[in-house]
Amino acid sequence: MLILRVLIQTNLFIAIAAVCFLLSNAYLLELPINHLKEVILLVFSSTWLVYQFSRWFYFKKDAYTHKNDSVFHYMEKYPIINNILLIVAAILVFISVFFIHKNVLYFLFIVGCISFLYPIPIIKYQSKWIKLREIPFIKLFLIAGVWSVACIILPIVELNIWQDFPTRNVLLFITQFVFILFITLPFDMNDFPYDKAVGVKTIPTVFGIKTSQMILLILWLIQLVLWILFFSTFSSITIQHITIGIAYMLLNTFLLVYTKKKITTINKEQVKYIYDGSMIVQFLITFLVFRWM
């Protein structure tokens, strides 16, 4: 647990989860992993940098709503280490951009702008400046869009194979977009009392926890249909496809039940372990099935 806590506090956990999510999708699309080293480094370092910057910005602006969060205490106790890690992440991003296909940079610029501007008040709304995340209901879709582009579109663009199996690529993008919505909504449900107090309009604060749970169930059903459609794009559905599909939906079922029973009682750190960690679990499922079956 100490190691996990350190990974959470330094934002390395979410960076590792991003790489795992990318690799899962690469396996599913049958992409050559050994040709994606540069993109893997880019996704790891850019995710690390974005989260380091976001946490640093909130801390400096005294905008942390979770003052009991271990990340807040870490930044308060070790500001120099946090600044060093921020610089290291920025250097890794700078190095990695020199080794990727130039077309990747266009997509990287878009998702990068969204990610870095996410915590900054840049939009004037009702005579005050607000952050992107404060636009009603947009937070979930921004996160899902950024993650899906970074971990599905970037590898395809890097390999210049967008025209190969376009239906399969689009279906996986939509499926994993829905999956990110599915694992992000619980964060808003857990943040419900804090967001309600400051007037942030999220699905839970506007429609309530019970409605949010119903939306999660709908997202679960949508994923089931989308995975069936995705695997049907292959000329023959193998035992690997069936096993992965069943395992993914079992993982989603666990998350659905866990959210219903625990989401309002667990702390922020546990939310990150479970829901961010689900991307790592998804990768382990995919890797083990393709390696051993």
Side-chain angles (χ1 to χ4, degrees):
M1 290 301 294
L2 176 61
I3 294 174
L4 279 175
R5 183 170 290 112
V6 171
L7 291 176
I8 289 285
Q9 292 171 343
T10 57
N11 295 301
L12 283 168
F13 186 79
I14 191 65
I16 293 169
V19 171
C20 288
F21 191 54
L22 183 153
L23 290 172
S24 297
N25 296 312
Y27 274 114
L28 290 169
L29 291 175
E30 300 178 339
L31 304 181
I33 304 296
N34 59 322
H35 292 167
L36 293 174
K37 296 184 184 70
E38 293 81 4
V39 172
I40 290 170
L41 175 62
L42 177 65
V43 168
F44 172 83
S45 57
S46 58
T47 302
W48 192 22
L49 176 62
V50 164
Y51 277 81
Q52 283 288 108
F53 172 78
S54 177
R55 303 293 184 266
W56 172 84
F57 185 85
Y58 283 132
F59 181 77
K60 288 295 183 181
K61 296 295 181 180
D62 195 27
Y64 252 94
T65 53
H66 296 272
K67 293 299 175 68
N68 293 324
D69 188 354
S70 66
V71 175
F72 176 81
H73 292 306
Y74 157 77
M75 296 185 71
E76 194 174 41
K77 191 173 182 180
Y78 305 108
I80 296 177
I81 293 177
N82 185 71
N83 292 340
I84 291 173
L85 294 180
L86 183 62
I87 293 170
V88 171
I91 292 172
L92 287 176
V93 172
F94 180 76
I95 292 172
S96 62
V97 297
F98 288 100
F99 297 95
I100 59 174
H101 195 284
K102 64 178 182 180
N103 289 337
V104 173
L105 294 177
Y106 302 137
F107 289 92
L108 181 65
F109 177 77
I110 295 171
V111 298
C113 285
I114 294 173
S115 300
F116 278 105
L117 295 177
Y118 183 73
I120 302 174
I122 59 168
I123 299 173
K124 196 168 186 179
Y125 178 73
Q126 295 181 347
S127 74
K128 71 173 185 177
W129 292 94
I130 65 172
K131 310 176 186 72
L132 278 176
R133 73 181 299 273
E134 294 174 331
I135 299 174
F137 312 123
I138 200 172
K139 175 183 173 182
L140 288 177
F141 299 97
L142 283 178
I143 293 173
V146 167
W147 276 82
S148 301
V149 169
C151 297
I152 300 172
I153 303 300
L154 292 191
I156 293 173
V157 174
E158 170 68 14
L159 296 174
N160 197 25
I161 55 169
W162 181 251
Q163 290 75 24
D164 297 349
F165 309 109
T167 302
R168 185 180 303 165
N169 297 336
V170 171
L171 273 172
L172 184 61
F173 178 87
I174 296 172
T175 305
Q176 295 292 45
F177 180 91
V178 174
F179 173 70
I180 297 297
L181 289 178
F182 182 76
I183 64 173
T184 304
L185 181 54
F187 280 84
D188 283 350
M189 295 168 71
N190 184 257
D191 286 339
F192 174 79
Y194 306 96
D195 289 341
K196 192 77 172 176
V198 298
V200 176
K201 291 186 177 180
T202 63
I203 290 174
T205 59
V206 174
F207 300 107
I209 296 295
K210 287 187 177 180
T211 300
S212 300
Q213 291 172 344
M214 184 59 66
I215 292 172
L216 274 182
L217 177 59
I218 293 170
L219 292 173
W220 185 95
L221 292 169
I222 292 172
Q223 285 182 87
L224 176 61
V225 174
L226 286 171
W227 280 122
I228 292 172
L229 291 174
F230 170 75
F231 288 121
S232 69
T233 63
F234 291 86
S235 56
S236 61
I237 300 178
T238 66
I239 188 64
Q240 292 174 325
H241 296 149
I242 295 171
T243 303
I244 288 173
I246 292 173
Y248 278 8
M249 291 313 299
L250 287 175
L251 171 63
N252 290 346
T253 301
F254 165 78
L255 294 174
L256 186 67
V257 173
Y258 187 86
T259 302
K260 182 176 176 59
K261 292 185 176 182
K262 297 286 188 178
I263 195 60
T264 57
T265 60
I266 59 177
N267 61 40
K268 193 71 172 179
E269 193 171 281
Q270 290 171 305
V271 174
K272 293 173 183 176
Y273 291 151
I274 298 297
Y275 297 95
D276 288 341
S278 66
M279 290 184 283
I280 298 175
V281 175
Q282 194 179 84
F283 163 71
L284 292 174
I285 290 169
T286 312
F287 174 76
L288 292 173
V289 168
F290 274 104
R291 186 174 181 85
W292 300 110
M293 295 189 69

